Amino acid sequence: MTRRPYERPIIVRHESGLGNKLSRVPALRPQEEIDGVSVEELVKTYGSPLFVFSEQTLVQRQRALADAFAVRWPKVRTAWSYKTNYLDGICRVLHREGAWAEVVSEMELDKALHNGVRPDHIHFNGPFKPESALEKAFRGGTLVHLDNFDELRRAEQVATRLGKRPGVAIRLSVAAEGIPPWTRFGFHLESGQARDAVRRLLAGDKLDLVGLHCHLGTFLLDPAAYREAAGKLAAFAEELRTEHGIRLQFIDIGGGFASHNALKAQYLPAEQATPSFEQYADAVCDGLRALQGPPKELPTLVLETGRAIVDDAGYLITTVHATRRLPDGRRGVVLDAGVNVLFTAWWYRHDVVPTRHLAGIPEPTVLYGPLCMNIDVVRDALPLPPVEAGDRLVLRNVGAYNVTQWMQFITLRPAVVMVGRNGQHGLLRKPETLEALTSWEEVPEWI
Amino acid sequence: MDLIRSWSQILFSRDLVVGGLLLVASLLDPWVGLHGLLAALVARAVAAALGLAPLVVGEGLFGYNAVLFGLGVGAMLPHGTWSEALLFAGSALTVVLTAALRDNGLRTGLPTLSAPFLIALWLVWSASPELVQPVPGPDRGLPEPVALGLRALGALLFVPRVEAGALVLLALLRWSRQGTVLGAAGVLAAWAVIEAVPVPLDPSQATLLALNLGLVSVALGGVWFVPSWASLALGAGAAGLTALVSLGAAPVAARLGLPLAIAPFHVGVWAVLLAMRQRAEDRSPRSVDFLPGTPEENLQYYRTRLARFGARYDVRFRAPVRGTWVVTQGRGDGPTHRNEWEHALDLEVADADGRLARDEGTTAEQHLCWHLPVVACADGVVAKVIDGVPDNPLGQVDLDDNWGNVVVLWHAPGLHSLVAHLSPRTIAVVEGQRVKTGEVLGLCGSSGRSPRPHLHWQLQATPQVGAPTLPLELHDVVDAAKGEVRGTWTPTTDDRLRNLVPGEVDLGLPPGTEATFEEDGRPVVIRSEIDPWGRRVLVCGDGRTYHGLHDDLFVVYDTLAPPGSPLHVLHAALARLPLEDGERSPTWSDHLPPRTLVPPWLRPLQDAVAPFVPLEGLHVRYRRVPGDRAVIEGRSDRERGGVPVLTTRAVLAPGVGLIEASQTLRGVTRTLRRRVP
């Protein structure tokens, strides 16, 4: 008979808010399977920790976004934000649904081309575009969004050298009430810098202005900011049309839609705080109402949504490695996944769900990762019934940024898999091996 | 060339062979024929001097009246300098009169026919001292009706002889087999009249009667009405009318000293055309409301138009919404779409699970179609706006202003559209404003008799709010459930629909440019133009493909080209092309005209029986193959030996446009490839 680990009994004071005849005890509904495939089977096949993506959710979210805007604007284009998740499998699912690509570096541009995206179906943003990147872009007809005057000059030189006259957009930095302005990107609208940029572009006569781009921020919970920004973009577009005769092909309102995560300092849970796609669409299209006319004369509305599409589709399965009792009474749980793989734990209160019904009363628990670093905290004060070593926990809404921003630190990065719409599952990324790691290293001969 | 065409236009044709045959026929009396030629030359010089449109002159449309006049002068006026002077003056006059009446004809829709010729002839008739009637030639042993007919045909050119008539008959056959049949029917009718009339008619009168009746029968049986049993009946009836005019006006004309010539034909055609305009419905016979061609062309065009477009209206209606909506109350459905308001649609938005609202669905704002833009279904003018009716809370209706906030658009005389139950203070248009298809009219709401937010859409004849509905049709709209573009569609309850989204797909043939293709190594030049009447045409050699280019659709209307023309391959491969992007492109289908698909030796027989036998075109299904370039594949329903009778393929490359078009018809493949510089 195996000896069970000893745990000192503790007296827990029952506080108000627990069940009485007028309320119910909040219970955690366990998640035993993801899209019909059991969690245990996934762990047995691919190991733990494990990132799991649901193709069904991905497609549903992409379609919900496209549909919400399609009923409000005649020509809508979604451009998948590669930096949010550039695993080939994820990108190809979205491209299959008709999404273009939105890239912010030469590496991402190459990756998009490697995924079979047509070069002229790519929007290229970002403050850092070396000449080689611009050349690659202009050769293929990629739409470059100019960020600053130096880039404008560089783009003109490259275009002249190639003998091409590419269509480009300019990024605008727009002040909207209630959100911190991101003035480090683009040309400022209110100060007149954007107007100067247009005049400079027209005077140079080497590039064609075909679009406007504005990316307000990240995880914006108030759609009103989009209404204001879209209104300013529409007014600027009208100004371009009346003063310079420019008819824009597209207006890109960027990304920044919130997903169903809750920020650490956020009071309301995500279900209540996160606006729906319809609310964002209402705000954006209402802001653009100054642009009138038949569909042929309206610019295409480009969306660079990232996290709002993929976050909900990503899960992280992790295993409890050890438990401890902290002196202040909280439980501590050591998991095999920490901030090394879950970068977004810095700012979200991720949903944590067990995979079996846990008996017992929830008590304040801290979730730690496997690193021996003090900062490796996944959740700080999570009410959780007692778990044992070997229990699995599923962290939800982790699809965005984690598999691009994760660190190979102290541990090897785990596998990433996708569960298909018919219960099939397969690798999106193999787990890292030491061989792969050391294959990058070289030792100079004097050592 | 335009000289010969001046001759062929006498028979409504532009064919050089037809013109040549008529020229030769007229030269059987050399004096007459030469005068015709002289008149044509004078007309050409006058047309050039007046600066008339070279395109129209080149078609011979300003010359044919002069030719007829010249022939008439040569036949009837005495030889002399005065007659020659009258010839010059009269020919010039016909050109001026033709030009003047063409403008009137375009506006009123009544054809000019040969009125200028008649007017000029009557004027010189009065100005000339003495006149000669052309004497009809001998029968040459042919049965009476045949000789009468041939003489009548010859009389058209003022050479009332059987030999000339035979040449004119050849020209007529060349122009149109159906037309010949119709003409023969008219001549038979004339012969019947001649036999029936108690007073014997003199030969020239009889010949003229046959000519008039024959012409009326052709004009009304096949040129200005689509050939069918009904048009044949109309032609016969009109022939009777013309006979009456002919016989009745003869003594009057004689007293005035004017030749009747083909005046009764004009009177008959104009009277009948004007009278037929007053019909309540343009059916049986159906008038030719498109560019008239030979009776064969008219019939084929109409039949394929019916099969391809089948539309009641000339106006093409798109859905009045953006994105995919679902029909929640269709024709004759529900509590409100009944009786006079039978033909209406209620539209709402449903999510992937079919729910019409999100969350609990307990307020109007939670309904998915709340405050979504409502757009114009076709180009038009805003006829009526009603605003200020408040939205109802969910479940309540307002029966006082039961249409709620409304916008009525005028699209064509007797054709309006109405959208109702809009939200107050969201209407973006004012009365009198011109709107284009797809422009925002207002936002969907729940005003009036509307228990939950929805859009009510109907077509009606008057701008009155709440007028009885006209039958409803949507054109070139996507049936979202089937993923198919429907050419003409009346959706019913639970159907889901959306407009095509204009995309980047482009044929790369902008008007005013030329593209060189290759077929079997031979260069084929295709020119894209807009003709003086504003129609888009692709021109290749002698052939023309008329087409329409909308923001979301390219559609071929008709191809008038010799049988071997490469334009037929283009037509088959690209009959209708939605200009939408995307991997999940809808499929679509079209009908191809039967004439081009019948082997050449069978064509004359098919032409003769076509008005009386239903002959369907070929139904072809098209789909877009996903990939980098736009590849469109077509496949006919009809198969032979397990293989489709027709398969087509078109390839469009980004930035260039159409680079390949091919068809395989009964095993024979023709491919056009674009030469890209």
mmCIF file of all heavy atoms in Angstrom, chain A residues 63 70-75 96-97 100 118 121 278 293-296 298, chain B residues 322-325 358 372-373 436-439 501-502 504 551 583-584 628 654:
data_model
loop_
_atom_site.group_PDB
_atom_site.id
_atom_site.type_symbol
_atom_site.label_atom_id
_atom_site.label_comp_id
_atom_site.label_asym_id
_atom_site.label_seq_id
_atom_site.Cartn_x
_atom_site.Cartn_y
_atom_site.Cartn_z
ATOM 1 N N ARG A 63 -14.927 33.703 -38.099
ATOM 2 C CA ARG A 63 -16.166 33.932 -38.840
ATOM 3 C C ARG A 63 -17.050 34.937 -38.111
ATOM 4 O O ARG A 63 -17.697 35.765 -38.747
ATOM 5 C CB ARG A 63 -16.921 32.634 -39.058
ATOM 6 C CG ARG A 63 -16.229 31.757 -40.063
ATOM 7 C CD ARG A 63 -17.040 30.572 -40.456
ATOM 8 N NE ARG A 63 -16.261 29.712 -41.339
ATOM 9 C CZ ARG A 63 -16.605 28.479 -41.688
ATOM 10 N NH1 ARG A 63 -17.733 27.962 -41.220
ATOM 11 N NH2 ARG A 63 -15.849 27.768 -42.479
ATOM 12 N N ALA A 70 -19.309 42.345 -41.715
ATOM 13 C CA ALA A 70 -19.879 42.239 -43.067
ATOM 14 C C ALA A 70 -21.283 42.812 -43.146
ATOM 15 O O ALA A 70 -21.706 43.299 -44.204
ATOM 16 C CB ALA A 70 -19.897 40.781 -43.520
ATOM 17 N N VAL A 71 -22.049 42.750 -42.042
ATOM 18 C CA VAL A 71 -23.403 43.305 -42.096
ATOM 19 C C VAL A 71 -23.388 44.813 -41.914
ATOM 20 O O VAL A 71 -24.419 45.459 -41.990
ATOM 21 C CB VAL A 71 -24.337 42.687 -41.030
ATOM 22 C CG1 VAL A 71 -24.729 41.290 -41.433
ATOM 23 C CG2 VAL A 71 -23.745 42.732 -39.665
ATOM 24 N N ARG A 72 -22.209 45.388 -41.654
ATOM 25 C CA ARG A 72 -22.164 46.829 -41.425
ATOM 26 C C ARG A 72 -21.352 47.581 -42.477
ATOM 27 O O ARG A 72 -21.554 48.765 -42.668
ATOM 28 C CB ARG A 72 -21.583 47.127 -40.044
ATOM 29 C CG ARG A 72 -22.526 46.717 -38.940
ATOM 30 C CD ARG A 72 -21.845 46.706 -37.595
ATOM 31 N NE ARG A 72 -22.808 46.495 -36.537
ATOM 32 C CZ ARG A 72 -23.223 45.306 -36.117
ATOM 33 N NH1 ARG A 72 -22.743 44.220 -36.669
ATOM 34 N NH2 ARG A 72 -24.115 45.207 -35.144
ATOM 35 N N TRP A 73 -20.441 46.895 -43.146
ATOM 36 C CA TRP A 73 -19.605 47.568 -44.135
ATOM 37 C C TRP A 73 -19.511 46.670 -45.358
ATOM 38 O O TRP A 73 -19.332 45.469 -45.211
ATOM 39 C CB TRP A 73 -18.199 47.836 -43.556
ATOM 40 C CG TRP A 73 -17.434 48.841 -44.324
ATOM 41 C CD1 TRP A 73 -16.431 48.625 -45.218
ATOM 42 C CD2 TRP A 73 -17.610 50.268 -44.272
ATOM 43 N NE1 TRP A 73 -15.966 49.804 -45.719
ATOM 44 C CE2 TRP A 73 -16.676 50.837 -45.166
ATOM 45 C CE3 TRP A 73 -18.463 51.111 -43.567
ATOM 46 C CZ2 TRP A 73 -16.577 52.209 -45.369
ATOM 47 C CZ3 TRP A 73 -18.360 52.474 -43.777
ATOM 48 C CH2 TRP A 73 -17.422 53.006 -44.666
ATOM 49 N N PRO A 74 -19.642 47.240 -46.585
ATOM 50 C CA PRO A 74 -19.727 46.357 -47.747
ATOM 51 C C PRO A 74 -18.449 45.589 -48.079
ATOM 52 O O PRO A 74 -18.514 44.488 -48.591
ATOM 53 C CB PRO A 74 -20.094 47.306 -48.889
ATOM 54 C CG PRO A 74 -19.716 48.662 -48.428
ATOM 55 C CD PRO A 74 -19.846 48.660 -46.952
ATOM 56 N N LYS A 75 -17.275 46.170 -47.820
ATOM 57 C CA LYS A 75 -16.047 45.456 -48.173
ATOM 58 C C LYS A 75 -15.157 45.382 -46.959
ATOM 59 O O LYS A 75 -14.651 46.393 -46.486
ATOM 60 C CB LYS A 75 -15.296 46.188 -49.306
ATOM 61 C CG LYS A 75 -16.084 46.207 -50.605
ATOM 62 C CD LYS A 75 -15.307 46.865 -51.725
ATOM 63 C CE LYS A 75 -15.204 48.360 -51.525
ATOM 64 N NZ LYS A 75 -14.577 49.027 -52.691
ATOM 65 N N ARG A 96 -7.034 29.935 -44.742
ATOM 66 C CA ARG A 96 -8.047 29.122 -45.413
ATOM 67 C C ARG A 96 -9.412 29.791 -45.307
ATOM 68 O O ARG A 96 -10.262 29.664 -46.186
ATOM 69 C CB ARG A 96 -8.078 27.738 -44.756
ATOM 70 C CG ARG A 96 -8.869 26.679 -45.485
ATOM 71 C CD ARG A 96 -8.926 25.406 -44.673
ATOM 72 N NE ARG A 96 -9.693 25.595 -43.440
ATOM 73 C CZ ARG A 96 -9.573 24.844 -42.351
ATOM 74 N NH1 ARG A 96 -8.700 23.860 -42.339
ATOM 75 N NH2 ARG A 96 -10.309 25.085 -41.288
ATOM 76 N N GLU A 97 -9.635 30.502 -44.212
ATOM 77 C CA GLU A 97 -10.894 31.223 -44.035
ATOM 78 C C GLU A 97 -10.917 32.543 -44.784
ATOM 79 O O GLU A 97 -11.872 33.307 -44.688
ATOM 80 C CB GLU A 97 -11.138 31.496 -42.538
ATOM 81 C CG GLU A 97 -11.445 30.264 -41.735
ATOM 82 C CD GLU A 97 -12.766 29.634 -42.123
ATOM 83 O OE1 GLU A 97 -13.777 30.357 -42.158
ATOM 84 O OE2 GLU A 97 -12.789 28.433 -42.419
ATOM 85 N N TRP A 100 -6.047 37.689 -44.873
ATOM 86 C CA TRP A 100 -4.738 38.084 -45.386
ATOM 87 C C TRP A 100 -3.741 37.952 -44.233
ATOM 88 O O TRP A 100 -4.058 37.332 -43.224
ATOM 89 C CB TRP A 100 -4.788 39.536 -45.867
ATOM 90 C CG TRP A 100 -5.493 39.735 -47.159
ATOM 91 C CD1 TRP A 100 -6.498 38.995 -47.681
ATOM 92 C CD2 TRP A 100 -5.250 40.789 -48.090
ATOM 93 N NE1 TRP A 100 -6.900 39.509 -48.878
ATOM 94 C CE2 TRP A 100 -6.155 40.621 -49.161
ATOM 95 C CE3 TRP A 100 -4.370 41.870 -48.132
ATOM 96 C CZ2 TRP A 100 -6.185 41.470 -50.262
ATOM 97 C CZ3 TRP A 100 -4.414 42.715 -49.226
ATOM 98 C CH2 TRP A 100 -5.307 42.514 -50.281
ATOM 99 N N ARG A 118 -0.137 35.119 -50.720
ATOM 100 C CA ARG A 118 0.283 35.914 -51.875
ATOM 101 C C ARG A 118 0.965 37.173 -51.395
ATOM 102 O O ARG A 118 0.476 37.814 -50.469
ATOM 103 C CB ARG A 118 -0.941 36.322 -52.690
ATOM 104 C CG ARG A 118 -1.320 35.346 -53.750
ATOM 105 C CD ARG A 118 -2.647 35.718 -54.364
ATOM 106 N NE ARG A 118 -2.699 37.066 -54.888
ATOM 107 C CZ ARG A 118 -3.721 37.521 -55.597
ATOM 108 N NH1 ARG A 118 -4.741 36.732 -55.835
ATOM 109 N NH2 ARG A 118 -3.739 38.765 -56.041
ATOM 110 N N HIS A 121 -1.068 40.105 -50.729
ATOM 111 C CA HIS A 121 -2.116 39.953 -49.724
ATOM 112 C C HIS A 121 -1.524 40.089 -48.331
ATOM 113 O O HIS A 121 -1.956 39.418 -47.401
ATOM 114 C CB HIS A 121 -2.807 38.577 -49.877
ATOM 115 C CG HIS A 121 -3.833 38.554 -50.951
ATOM 116 N ND1 HIS A 121 -4.742 37.532 -51.104
ATOM 117 C CD2 HIS A 121 -4.120 39.433 -51.931
ATOM 118 C CE1 HIS A 121 -5.524 37.784 -52.134
ATOM 119 N NE2 HIS A 121 -5.171 38.929 -52.653
ATOM 120 N N GLU A 278 -19.820 42.602 -32.255
ATOM 121 C CA GLU A 278 -20.849 43.513 -32.775
ATOM 122 C C GLU A 278 -20.667 44.911 -32.214
ATOM 123 O O GLU A 278 -20.868 45.902 -32.912
ATOM 124 C CB GLU A 278 -22.250 43.014 -32.417
ATOM 125 C CG GLU A 278 -22.756 41.865 -33.259
ATOM 126 C CD GLU A 278 -22.202 40.548 -32.798
ATOM 127 O OE1 GLU A 278 -21.694 40.515 -31.662
ATOM 128 O OE2 GLU A 278 -22.279 39.566 -33.554
ATOM 129 N N GLY A 293 -21.648 56.590 -50.073
ATOM 130 C CA GLY A 293 -21.619 56.301 -51.494
ATOM 131 C C GLY A 293 -21.849 54.825 -51.746
ATOM 132 O O GLY A 293 -21.970 54.036 -50.816
ATOM 133 N N PRO A 294 -21.917 54.450 -53.037
ATOM 134 C CA PRO A 294 -22.095 53.037 -53.344
ATOM 135 C C PRO A 294 -20.838 52.250 -52.971
ATOM 136 O O PRO A 294 -19.768 52.840 -52.834
ATOM 137 C CB PRO A 294 -22.318 53.042 -54.863
ATOM 138 C CG PRO A 294 -21.730 54.305 -55.345
ATOM 139 C CD PRO A 294 -21.839 55.294 -54.241
ATOM 140 N N PRO A 295 -20.969 50.945 -52.800
ATOM 141 C CA PRO A 295 -19.845 50.123 -52.330
ATOM 142 C C PRO A 295 -18.553 50.334 -53.123
ATOM 143 O O PRO A 295 -17.471 50.287 -52.560
ATOM 144 C CB PRO A 295 -20.354 48.693 -52.512
ATOM 145 C CG PRO A 295 -21.820 48.796 -52.421
ATOM 146 C CD PRO A 295 -22.190 50.125 -52.963
ATOM 147 N N LYS A 296 -18.680 50.583 -54.430
ATOM 148 C CA LYS A 296 -17.473 50.744 -55.235
ATOM 149 C C LYS A 296 -16.644 51.925 -54.757
ATOM 150 O O LYS A 296 -15.428 51.918 -54.860
ATOM 151 C CB LYS A 296 -17.892 50.966 -56.698
ATOM 152 C CG LYS A 296 -16.730 51.139 -57.641
ATOM 153 C CD LYS A 296 -17.198 51.175 -59.079
ATOM 154 C CE LYS A 296 -17.978 52.416 -59.406
ATOM 155 N NZ LYS A 296 -18.132 52.612 -60.862
ATOM 156 N N LEU A 298 -16.496 53.121 -51.657
ATOM 157 C CA LEU A 298 -16.063 53.075 -50.259
ATOM 158 C C LEU A 298 -14.766 52.302 -50.146
ATOM 159 O O LEU A 298 -14.562 51.313 -50.843
ATOM 160 C CB LEU A 298 -17.141 52.398 -49.407
ATOM 161 C CG LEU A 298 -18.480 53.119 -49.341
ATOM 162 C CD1 LEU A 298 -19.470 52.293 -48.552
ATOM 163 C CD2 LEU A 298 -18.322 54.495 -48.717
ATOM 164 N N ARG B 322 -26.413 44.661 -46.161
ATOM 165 C CA ARG B 322 -25.012 44.240 -46.267
ATOM 166 C C ARG B 322 -24.829 42.952 -45.506
ATOM 167 O O ARG B 322 -25.454 42.736 -44.478
ATOM 168 C CB ARG B 322 -24.105 45.313 -45.638
ATOM 169 C CG ARG B 322 -24.015 46.557 -46.457
ATOM 170 C CD ARG B 322 -23.193 47.609 -45.748
ATOM 171 N NE ARG B 322 -22.989 48.774 -46.598
ATOM 172 C CZ ARG B 322 -22.581 49.955 -46.178
ATOM 173 N NH1 ARG B 322 -22.336 50.141 -44.900
ATOM 174 N NH2 ARG B 322 -22.420 50.960 -47.013
ATOM 175 N N GLY B 323 -23.942 42.092 -45.990
ATOM 176 C CA GLY B 323 -23.696 40.834 -45.300
ATOM 177 C C GLY B 323 -24.851 39.856 -45.508
ATOM 178 O O GLY B 323 -25.748 40.073 -46.333
ATOM 179 N N THR B 324 -24.844 38.780 -44.738
ATOM 180 C CA THR B 324 -25.829 37.704 -44.900
ATOM 181 C C THR B 324 -27.020 37.909 -43.979
ATOM 182 O O THR B 324 -26.859 38.036 -42.776
ATOM 183 C CB THR B 324 -25.179 36.338 -44.586
ATOM 184 O OG1 THR B 324 -24.012 36.210 -45.384
ATOM 185 C CG2 THR B 324 -26.143 35.206 -44.895
ATOM 186 N N TRP B 325 -28.207 37.943 -44.543
ATOM 187 C CA TRP B 325 -29.447 38.057 -43.779
ATOM 188 C C TRP B 325 -30.319 36.847 -44.104
ATOM 189 O O TRP B 325 -30.141 36.181 -45.117
ATOM 190 C CB TRP B 325 -30.185 39.351 -44.148
ATOM 191 C CG TRP B 325 -29.555 40.596 -43.651
ATOM 192 C CD1 TRP B 325 -28.260 40.995 -43.848
ATOM 193 C CD2 TRP B 325 -30.188 41.637 -42.897
ATOM 194 N NE1 TRP B 325 -28.054 42.215 -43.267
ATOM 195 C CE2 TRP B 325 -29.209 42.641 -42.684
ATOM 196 C CE3 TRP B 325 -31.473 41.833 -42.392
ATOM 197 C CZ2 TRP B 325 -29.487 43.812 -41.968
ATOM 198 C CZ3 TRP B 325 -31.748 43.002 -41.696
ATOM 199 C CH2 TRP B 325 -30.755 43.968 -41.487
ATOM 200 N N ARG B 358 -28.891 38.040 -29.467
ATOM 201 C CA ARG B 358 -27.853 37.485 -28.599
ATOM 202 C C ARG B 358 -28.307 37.573 -27.150
ATOM 203 O O ARG B 358 -29.323 38.191 -26.834
ATOM 204 C CB ARG B 358 -26.550 38.253 -28.807
ATOM 205 C CG ARG B 358 -26.674 39.679 -28.453
ATOM 206 C CD ARG B 358 -25.321 40.361 -28.425
ATOM 207 N NE ARG B 358 -25.540 41.785 -28.528
ATOM 208 C CZ ARG B 358 -25.600 42.443 -29.680
ATOM 209 N NH1 ARG B 358 -25.397 41.809 -30.800
ATOM 210 N NH2 ARG B 358 -25.849 43.725 -29.694
ATOM 211 N N LEU B 372 -28.547 47.962 -38.042
ATOM 212 C CA LEU B 372 -27.656 47.637 -39.145
ATOM 213 C C LEU B 372 -28.041 48.477 -40.358
ATOM 214 O O LEU B 372 -29.205 48.785 -40.546
ATOM 215 C CB LEU B 372 -27.759 46.148 -39.503
ATOM 216 C CG LEU B 372 -27.161 45.187 -38.485
ATOM 217 C CD1 LEU B 372 -27.155 43.789 -39.062
ATOM 218 C CD2 LEU B 372 -25.752 45.604 -38.115
ATOM 219 N N PRO B 373 -27.073 48.826 -41.206
ATOM 220 C CA PRO B 373 -27.400 49.687 -42.344
ATOM 221 C C PRO B 373 -28.303 48.989 -43.353
ATOM 222 O O PRO B 373 -28.163 47.802 -43.630
ATOM 223 C CB PRO B 373 -26.036 50.012 -42.965
ATOM 224 C CG PRO B 373 -25.067 49.116 -42.335
ATOM 225 C CD PRO B 373 -25.644 48.564 -41.091
ATOM 226 N N LYS B 436 -27.384 55.484 -55.466
ATOM 227 C CA LYS B 436 -26.877 54.375 -56.251
ATOM 228 C C LYS B 436 -27.026 53.089 -55.437
ATOM 229 O O LYS B 436 -27.127 53.129 -54.216
ATOM 230 C CB LYS B 436 -25.406 54.611 -56.591
ATOM 231 C CG LYS B 436 -25.171 55.920 -57.284
ATOM 232 C CD LYS B 436 -23.912 55.882 -58.110
ATOM 233 C CE LYS B 436 -24.208 55.230 -59.434
ATOM 234 N NZ LYS B 436 -23.369 55.644 -60.499
ATOM 235 N N THR B 437 -26.980 51.969 -56.166
ATOM 236 C CA THR B 437 -27.109 50.675 -55.510
ATOM 237 C C THR B 437 -26.085 50.571 -54.398
ATOM 238 O O THR B 437 -24.911 50.827 -54.603
ATOM 239 C CB THR B 437 -26.845 49.555 -56.533
ATOM 240 O OG1 THR B 437 -27.550 49.856 -57.730
ATOM 241 C CG2 THR B 437 -27.282 48.221 -55.985
ATOM 242 N N GLY B 438 -26.514 50.190 -53.216
ATOM 243 C CA GLY B 438 -25.585 49.961 -52.122
ATOM 244 C C GLY B 438 -25.392 51.139 -51.205
ATOM 245 O O GLY B 438 -24.725 51.012 -50.183
ATOM 246 N N GLU B 439 -25.976 52.292 -51.541
ATOM 247 C CA GLU B 439 -25.833 53.443 -50.641
ATOM 248 C C GLU B 439 -26.755 53.305 -49.446
ATOM 249 O O GLU B 439 -27.858 52.790 -49.556
ATOM 250 C CB GLU B 439 -26.180 54.724 -51.397
ATOM 251 C CG GLU B 439 -24.999 55.321 -52.111
ATOM 252 C CD GLU B 439 -25.289 56.735 -52.609
ATOM 253 O OE1 GLU B 439 -25.675 57.579 -51.771
ATOM 254 O OE2 GLU B 439 -25.146 56.983 -53.801
ATOM 255 N N VAL B 501 -19.681 40.725 -53.051
ATOM 256 C CA VAL B 501 -18.803 41.779 -52.565
ATOM 257 C C VAL B 501 -17.835 42.140 -53.692
ATOM 258 O O VAL B 501 -17.118 41.268 -54.174
ATOM 259 C CB VAL B 501 -18.004 41.295 -51.334
ATOM 260 C CG1 VAL B 501 -17.026 42.354 -50.905
ATOM 261 C CG2 VAL B 501 -18.946 40.944 -50.199
ATOM 262 N N PRO B 502 -17.834 43.388 -54.157
ATOM 263 C CA PRO B 502 -16.917 43.728 -55.254
ATOM 264 C C PRO B 502 -15.474 43.482 -54.851
ATOM 265 O O PRO B 502 -15.058 43.907 -53.785
ATOM 266 C CB PRO B 502 -17.161 45.220 -55.498
ATOM 267 C CG PRO B 502 -18.131 45.655 -54.510
ATOM 268 C CD PRO B 502 -18.592 44.529 -53.685
ATOM 269 N N GLU B 504 -11.268 42.234 -56.367
ATOM 270 C CA GLU B 504 -10.195 42.695 -57.233
ATOM 271 C C GLU B 504 -10.167 41.988 -58.566
ATOM 272 O O GLU B 504 -9.339 42.295 -59.397
ATOM 273 C CB GLU B 504 -8.853 42.424 -56.562
ATOM 274 C CG GLU B 504 -8.708 43.072 -55.215
ATOM 275 C CD GLU B 504 -7.398 42.665 -54.573
ATOM 276 O OE1 GLU B 504 -6.961 41.513 -54.785
ATOM 277 O OE2 GLU B 504 -6.807 43.494 -53.893
ATOM 278 N N ASP B 551 -20.005 46.559 -60.657
ATOM 279 C CA ASP B 551 -18.936 46.470 -59.668
ATOM 280 C C ASP B 551 -18.696 45.044 -59.241
ATOM 281 O O ASP B 551 -17.587 44.679 -58.875
ATOM 282 C CB ASP B 551 -19.307 47.279 -58.411
ATOM 283 C CG ASP B 551 -19.514 48.719 -58.746
ATOM 284 O OD1 ASP B 551 -18.995 49.160 -59.790
ATOM 285 O OD2 ASP B 551 -20.198 49.406 -57.975
ATOM 286 N N GLU B 583 -11.552 32.605 -51.182
ATOM 287 C CA GLU B 583 -11.410 31.166 -51.352
ATOM 288 C C GLU B 583 -12.771 30.502 -51.477
ATOM 289 O O GLU B 583 -12.959 29.596 -52.269
ATOM 290 C CB GLU B 583 -10.663 30.583 -50.150
ATOM 291 C CG GLU B 583 -9.223 31.047 -50.053
ATOM 292 C CD GLU B 583 -8.400 30.607 -51.241
ATOM 293 O OE1 GLU B 583 -8.424 29.415 -51.575
ATOM 294 O OE2 GLU B 583 -7.756 31.460 -51.854
ATOM 295 N N ARG B 584 -13.709 30.919 -50.639
ATOM 296 C CA ARG B 584 -15.023 30.277 -50.667
ATOM 297 C C ARG B 584 -15.928 31.021 -51.645
ATOM 298 O O ARG B 584 -16.875 31.682 -51.262
ATOM 299 C CB ARG B 584 -15.643 30.300 -49.274
ATOM 300 C CG ARG B 584 -14.946 29.379 -48.310
ATOM 301 C CD ARG B 584 -15.471 29.581 -46.905
ATOM 302 N NE ARG B 584 -15.339 30.949 -46.480
ATOM 303 C CZ ARG B 584 -16.089 31.500 -45.536
ATOM 304 N NH1 ARG B 584 -17.017 30.808 -44.952
ATOM 305 N NH2 ARG B 584 -15.897 32.750 -45.186
ATOM 306 N N ASP B 628 -4.096 30.699 -56.429
ATOM 307 C CA ASP B 628 -3.505 32.020 -56.634
ATOM 308 C C ASP B 628 -4.195 32.800 -57.738
ATOM 309 O O ASP B 628 -4.601 33.935 -57.564
ATOM 310 C CB ASP B 628 -2.039 31.826 -57.049
ATOM 311 C CG ASP B 628 -1.139 32.391 -55.992
ATOM 312 O OD1 ASP B 628 -1.644 32.780 -54.933
ATOM 313 O OD2 ASP B 628 0.068 32.468 -56.241
ATOM 314 N N PRO B 654 -3.523 37.920 -61.595
ATOM 315 C CA PRO B 654 -3.593 39.228 -60.923
ATOM 316 C C PRO B 654 -2.706 40.250 -61.630
ATOM 317 O O PRO B 654 -1.607 39.938 -62.051
ATOM 318 C CB PRO B 654 -3.075 38.939 -59.510
ATOM 319 C CG PRO B 654 -2.432 37.613 -59.567
ATOM 320 C CD PRO B 654 -2.985 36.874 -60.719
#
